[in-house]
Amino acid sequence: QVQLIESGGGLVQAGGSLRLSCAASGRTFSRYAMGWFRQAPGKEREFVAAISWSGRSTLYADSVKGRFTISIDNAKNTVSLQANSLKPEDTAVYYCAARYNAVVLTTTDYDYWGQGTQVTVSS
């Protein structure tokens, strides 16, 4: 069975940084795409960033471009999200997700999800 486990969330001041990690297990993820999504209370889950297993293809939401960086460590089956210059509007539960093949930004195209990790940014 596929398991995705997020870690690294916490409370930071605006302008600070966090590094989120997602440990993937349960299958061979070659040719998979990995994504990060977030959901704030009362809002829809939204796309943040995604990366191919090779690391050669990436996508970012406009709201995080230039501030967040997604990366992958194939040997450790781990995808990370380095979040810099954090803003209060970044506050949300962040979820790791996986799907077969192409890197996309649509929530419904991802098949496997982690439990989430809370990120809170104070002003």
Side-chain angles (χ1 to χ4, degrees):
Q1 56 183 328
V2 173
Q3 292 187 6
L4 304 175
I5 302 177
E6 303 95 334
S7 62
L11 173 64
V12 297
Q13 290 282 326
S17 298
L18 285 173
R19 185 174 180 84
L20 309 182
S21 295
C22 172
S25 63
R27 70 171 59 189
T28 299
F29 288 95
S30 179
R31 299 188 65 189
Y32 273 68
M34 307 295 294
W36 285 97
F37 294 77
R38 65 189 183 187
Q39 187 167 23
K43 295 186 177 181
E44 297 290 328
R45 189 168 299 184
E46 66 175 355
F47 171 78
V48 176
I51 189 168
S52 62
W53 197 253
S54 69
R56 292 193 296 270
S57 298
T58 59
L59 289 175
Y60 292 95
D62 289 341
S63 60
V64 305
K65 286 180 180 177
R67 299 189 298 121
F68 290 16
T69 302
I70 190 169
S71 61
I72 193 161
D73 186 336
N74 294 335
K76 296 184 180 297
N77 277 15
T78 300
V79 60
S80 298
L81 185 71
Q82 179 66 44
N84 298 328
S85 301
L86 285 161
K87 306 174 181 179
E89 51 263 45
D90 295 319
T91 296
V93 176
Y94 282 69
Y95 296 91
C96 178
R99 74 179 302 273
Y100 178 70
N101 210 344
V103 175
V104 297
L105 51 74
T106 310
T107 304
T108 54
D109 285 331
Y110 286 79
D111 302 307
Y112 307 102
W113 295 85
Q115 292 296 111
T117 185
Q118 177 72 49
V119 171
T120 303
V121 184
S122 64
S123 60

